[in-house]
Amino acid sequence: MRNLLYLFILIFIFSSCTGNNDKADAYGNFEAVETLVSAETSGKLLQFDVENGMILKAGQQVGLIDTAVLSAKLKQLLAVKAEIAANSKDVLSQIKVLDEQKNVLLIEKKRVENLIADSAATQKQYDDIIGKIKVIDRQIESVKVKNSAILSKFNQVNAQIEELQLNIDKCKIINPINGTVLQKYVEVHELAMPGKVLYKIADLSTMELKVYVSGAQFPHIKIGQKTKVYIDKNEEENTELEGTISWISSTAEFTPKIIQTKEERVKLVYAVKLLVKNNGSLKIGMPGEVRFD
């Protein structure tokens, strides 16, 4: 009987020690930063190379919205731009001719001045040359004003071309981040509209484990601290991973209903997020446990 009592005591002590060692400091679920990729313009979806579970790279073009109308407008504006540039070239050639005429008159003006000094020319000859120079100056100024108006129109058309080119670029669906496609919402040939979600993607290479710690634990944790993270391997064993605390809430809240008993839900806790490198076994929504060193 005494041996049996010792056996029960040993079993109790062993169970108590095991329970204390296995008890986690916090519990939670794995999350990922999900990005919704939307269309930026309207039109038929001509190309869409996206499937659920596909791994995409940042900057990769995965789709194209119809650009036929925009391309036609761009072609028209480029033709208008070329015509304006040709007009400006003609005007500038006129200025060049007038400048050459003025240079001839300036040489003549200098010659007449020398003749007047030698009393070989009259004042009227000098005044006539000055008058011709002033006329050419006014003509040059008039042509410059005309060219300024042409350049203003050229700049306006150029701005329209840049805006149109930007809209054409928006027809290209560019994947924003490295990640895995979680959900595809549209198919090729469907109508895309600004703000319409095309697919959802998340970087699953590093997951976030969101847990809640008590006020007693709060002073003993800090951002950057390494922790042990456990996930279920089977019914009896866990897989150990390394986690790093990346965020700690500065305000307390009530324990979420989904992870604790009714008695625990009334306690105030602090939310904590840990970054965990995904070895391929972590999934969104999977439960995890944390033990702080």
Side-chain angles (χ1 to χ4, degrees):
M1 185 67 180
R2 180 176 297 177
N3 292 336
L4 184 60
L5 179 60
Y6 287 154
L7 178 61
F8 280 133
I9 292 173
L10 289 174
I11 292 175
F12 176 76
I13 294 174
F14 178 78
S15 299
S16 299
C17 294
T18 303
N20 289 335
N21 291 334
D22 291 341
K23 186 177 180 182
D25 295 319
Y27 304 86
N29 296 88
F30 285 96
E31 302 174 347
V33 178
E34 301 176 354
T35 301
L36 298 176
V37 181
S38 303
E40 295 187 72
T41 186
S42 300
K44 183 184 291 186
L45 197 57
L46 300 181
Q47 172 200 347
F48 194 52
D49 303 324
V50 173
E51 297 295 338
N52 291 338
M54 181 180 288
I55 297 175
L56 302 176
K57 294 182 179 180
Q60 178 180 346
Q61 182 175 338
V62 296
L64 179 66
I65 298 172
D66 189 7
T67 62
V69 175
L70 295 176
S71 296
K73 290 181 179 179
L74 179 61
K75 189 176 180 179
Q76 292 175 354
L77 287 175
L78 289 174
V80 172
K81 178 181 177 180
E83 181 180 355
I84 294 174
N87 292 337
S88 179
K89 186 176 180 180
D90 289 341
V91 170
L92 292 175
S93 66
Q94 294 176 25
I95 294 177
K96 186 176 180 180
V97 171
L98 291 171
D99 282 336
E100 291 175 353
Q101 293 177 359
K102 182 178 178 180
N103 288 333
V104 172
L105 288 173
L106 289 173
I107 294 173
E108 181 66 16
K109 173 176 171 288
K110 185 67 175 176
R111 187 181 70 83
V112 171
E113 287 175 345
N114 292 333
L115 290 174
I116 290 175
D118 295 335
S119 300
T122 64
Q123 184 65 37
K124 182 178 183 306
Q125 290 176 303
Y126 180 80
D127 293 341
D128 288 343
I129 293 175
I130 295 298
K132 291 178 181 179
I133 292 175
K134 289 181 178 179
V135 169
I136 289 182
D137 283 338
R138 286 195 294 268
Q139 290 176 339
I140 292 175
E141 188 63 29
S142 176
V143 174
K144 287 183 176 179
V145 171
K146 183 179 179 181
N147 188 57
S148 178
I150 293 174
L151 290 178
S152 177
K153 188 176 181 181
F154 180 87
N155 291 333
Q156 291 176 7
V157 173
N158 218 32
Q160 293 175 7
I161 289 174
E162 290 179 1
E163 181 180 2
L164 199 54
Q165 188 62 60
L166 181 61
N167 290 332
I168 290 176
D169 291 340
K170 288 181 179 179
C171 292
K172 299 175 184 177
I173 302 169
I174 307 298
N175 182 61
I177 63 170
N178 294 325
T180 303
V181 177
L182 302 180
Q183 185 65 50
K184 174 183 177 181
Y185 296 107
V186 297
E187 298 291 341
V188 177
H189 306 309
E190 289 188 19
L191 182 64
M193 299 179 64
K196 181 177 181 179
V197 179
L198 304 176
Y199 64 98
K200 179 167 62 176
I201 188 171
D203 184 0
L204 304 182
S205 61
T206 300
M207 303 286 285
E208 282 187 344
L209 177 60
K210 187 176 183 179
V211 299
Y212 296 86
V213 301
S214 66
Q217 294 171 307
F218 186 75
H220 304 292
I221 61 174
K222 61 182 180 179
I223 293 177
Q225 179 178 336
K226 301 295 183 181
T227 66
K228 294 179 180 179
V229 175
Y230 297 89
I231 58 174
D232 294 335
K233 183 176 182 181
N234 51 47
E235 293 183 358
E236 298 180 354
E237 296 179 301
N238 290 333
T239 298
E240 180 180 320
L241 301 170
E242 183 181 75
T244 304
I245 297 177
S246 61
W247 174 80
I248 301 174
S249 174
S250 59
T251 57
E253 56 187 294
F254 288 105
T255 309
K257 298 179 181 180
I258 58 172
I259 62 171
Q260 296 292 350
T261 63
K262 185 175 181 180
E263 291 77 12
E264 292 293 324
R265 289 201 299 265
V266 298
K267 294 182 179 179
L268 288 175
V269 292
Y270 294 85
V272 176
K273 288 184 179 180
L274 303 97
L275 295 179
V276 183
K277 192 73 175 179
N278 191 356
N279 59 3
S281 60
L282 302 181
K283 309 295 181 184
I284 295 176
M286 176 184 290
E289 303 177 0
V290 180
R291 294 180 194 171
F292 300 112
D293 293 334

